[in-house]
Amino acid sequence: MSQFWSKIVHTLTPYVPGEQPKLTNLIKLNTNENPYGPSPKALAAMQAQIADTLKLYPDAASTPLLQTIAQHYGVPVDHVFVGNGSDEVLALLFPALLKHDAPLLFPDITYSFYPVYCGLYEINYQTVPLNARFEIDVADYDRPCGGIIFPNPNAPTGVGLPLATIEEFLKRHADCVVVVDEAYIDFGGATAVTLVANYPNLLVVQTLSKSRSLAGLRVGLAIGQPHLIEALVRVKDSFNSYPLDRVAQAGAVAAFEDVAWFDETRNKVITTREWFTNELAQLGFETLPSQANFVFTRHPQRDAAELAALLRERSIIVRHFKRPERIAQFLRITIGTPEECAALVTALKEILA
Ligand SMILES: Cc1ncc(COP(=O)(O)O)c(C=O)c1O
């Protein structure tokens, strides 16, 4: 606390990111990173940018990247926006599109940054409980609102919604923006980008941090009709003209172009997830059906915090959320390499023996 703080700073409860320990030799399955690393072509494109041209500002609009993404998804270039990680895209879209008199709605169990943005921008919000199967139920959102946001698949549950349900949201809430945060969509879900042409109220947000393994580069994007994109550009240009540096723009273009690397690595993650879920079941764990690069799992007889601590003693880090109470007995485990997941299974066998 300080007398020098603005009034709003006293009220903030900032987001707490998953731990990034300095220790080596850890099996780090706590922040949903991709174990396979970025496309070698993306790395080469970034290395080529480490040059004298860094004395010049980058392209403020990231035009080649917008064109690459537009081509990838078959949408016009004026439907695409990019930012410094999807967290920044979210940070711009909350004030641009979700701040209205009626409350913003999002699930009670979801990405914990959403209430943090609401605090920062003083956005009135209501949380809507997931149903008993930890699913988002469109009928529960039938109430007055100024906007809706949810991840698909949801985090930290990994549970996905079919496109028909997304479309139902868009139809029932035609008078407000529905943001679908697709951070994990490439691990088994169907993207709502295909609905953008028909729904002026849909904004899809994605990231290169997960399926393209560039969490360290910080590139996120949004796709929607031009009136929504214009709102984002207006807020962005009132905040930071150059959110993506030259290295990030070049790396992101090359990562989108290297479809073979993308497909190979995400398929490996999906295959490992299915194997790992099956192993967990044999150890008595109950795992929610996941379409993401992580699983959300509980053991009916063992305390989740204790399990996380025992794994940590064996140099394996997973994520445990103490709150809300309803998920306090779950662990969120990122899908690593087959070797990392096998080591985790071995450790769990020891612990449960
Ligand atoms: C649901 C969801 N949305 C957005 C993000 C932010 O991703 P990034 O800022 O790395 O693009 C995350 C990160 O874990 C996430 O889980």
Side-chain angles (χ1 to χ4, degrees), residues 152-153 161-163 166 180 182 185-186 188-194 206 291:
N152 187 37
L161 284 180
L163 273 190
I166 305 282
V180 184
E182 295 190 338
I185 197 69
D186 295 324
T191 178
V193 170
T194 51
Q206 293 194 356
Q291 291 187 345

Side-chain angles (χ1 to χ4, degrees), residues 16-40:
V16 183
E19 187 189 354
Q20 297 290 356
K22 301 284 176 285
L23 301 172
T24 47
N25 294 328
L26 283 179
I27 297 184
K28 192 177 166 303
L29 303 175
N30 66 328
T31 47
N32 297 343
E33 287 137 334
N34 187 322
Y36 293 111
S39 146

Side-chain angles (χ1 to χ4, degrees), residues 45-324:
M46 290 187 269
Q47 269 147 11
Q49 290 296 319
I50 309 296
D52 187 55
T53 41
L54 281 175
K55 69 188 174 200
L56 301 173
Y57 282 104
D59 176 347
S62 302
T63 314
L65 179 55
L66 298 185
Q67 286 165 341
T68 303
I69 295 168
Q71 199 182 359
H72 182 85
Y73 281 113
V75 296
V77 74
D78 62 1
H79 284 47
V80 187
F81 177 84
V82 290
N84 191 270
S86 58
D87 278 342
E88 187 189 69
V89 176
L90 293 168
L92 298 172
L93 74 83
F94 268 70
L97 298 167
L98 300 179
K99 183 170 178 162
H100 299 286
D101 292 338
L104 172 66
L105 303 181
F106 50 82
D108 63 337
I109 296 165
T110 196
Y111 187 35
S112 50
F113 226 135
Y114 301 158
V116 174
Y117 293 128
C118 289
L120 177 62
Y121 298 119
E122 301 182 291
I123 297 172
N124 174 17
Y125 72 93
Q126 284 174 9
T127 58
V128 182
L130 298 180
N131 70 17
R133 290 189 301 278
F134 291 90
E135 297 159 344
I136 294 170
D137 190 332
V138 63
D140 295 335
Y141 288 73
D142 280 344
R143 55 175 100 169
C145 65
I148 296 176
I149 183 166
F150 53 81
N152 187 37
N154 196 10
T157 62
V159 177
L161 284 180
L163 273 190
T165 310
I166 305 282
E167 208 162 359
E168 197 53 37
F169 265 104
L170 295 163
K171 285 183 183 150
R172 290 189 193 203
H173 298 279
D175 54 349
C176 71
V177 174
V178 177
V179 178
V180 184
D181 177 351
E182 295 190 338
Y184 303 100
I185 197 69
D186 295 324
F187 299 105
T191 178
V193 170
T194 51
L195 301 176
V196 159
N198 293 334
Y199 292 94
N201 58 331
L202 169 62
L203 190 76
V204 178
V205 176
Q206 293 194 356
T207 177
L208 277 75
S209 297
K210 313 294 178 179
S211 54
R212 289 185 176 79
S213 200
L214 286 168
L217 195 65
R218 313 306 301 132
V219 184
L221 61 113
I223 298 179
Q225 291 188 12
H227 56 274
L228 302 184
I229 300 303
E230 187 187 340
L232 295 177
V233 173
R234 288 174 72 115
V235 177
K236 170 220 159 215
D237 286 333
S238 307
F239 176 70
N240 178 6
S241 305
Y242 305 105
L244 262 65
D245 59 58
R246 286 171 174 272
V247 178
Q249 292 187 32
V253 166
F256 263 102
E257 286 173 350
D258 196 349
V259 176
W261 180 266
F262 168 76
D263 278 337
E264 185 190 327
T265 50
R266 73 167 167 162
N267 286 336
K268 283 202 263 191
V269 170
I270 293 168
T271 305
T272 308
R273 180 185 69 210
E274 299 313 305
W275 174 82
F276 182 57
T277 306
N278 194 31
E279 292 291 310
L280 286 175
Q282 290 180 29
L283 293 174
F285 281 87
E286 297 163 356
T287 305
L288 299 183
S290 172
Q291 291 187 345
N293 68 337
F294 57 85
V295 293
F296 206 48
T297 190
R298 68 181 158 197
H299 195 286
Q301 276 96 45
R302 297 299 293 259
D303 180 65
E306 189 202 4
L307 282 179
L310 290 167
L311 286 171
R312 202 186 168 92
E313 282 173 16
R314 292 163 173 79
S315 301
I316 300 174
I317 308 191
V318 300
R319 188 105 194 242
H320 174 247
F321 300 91
K322 291 195 196 83
R323 280 190 304 273

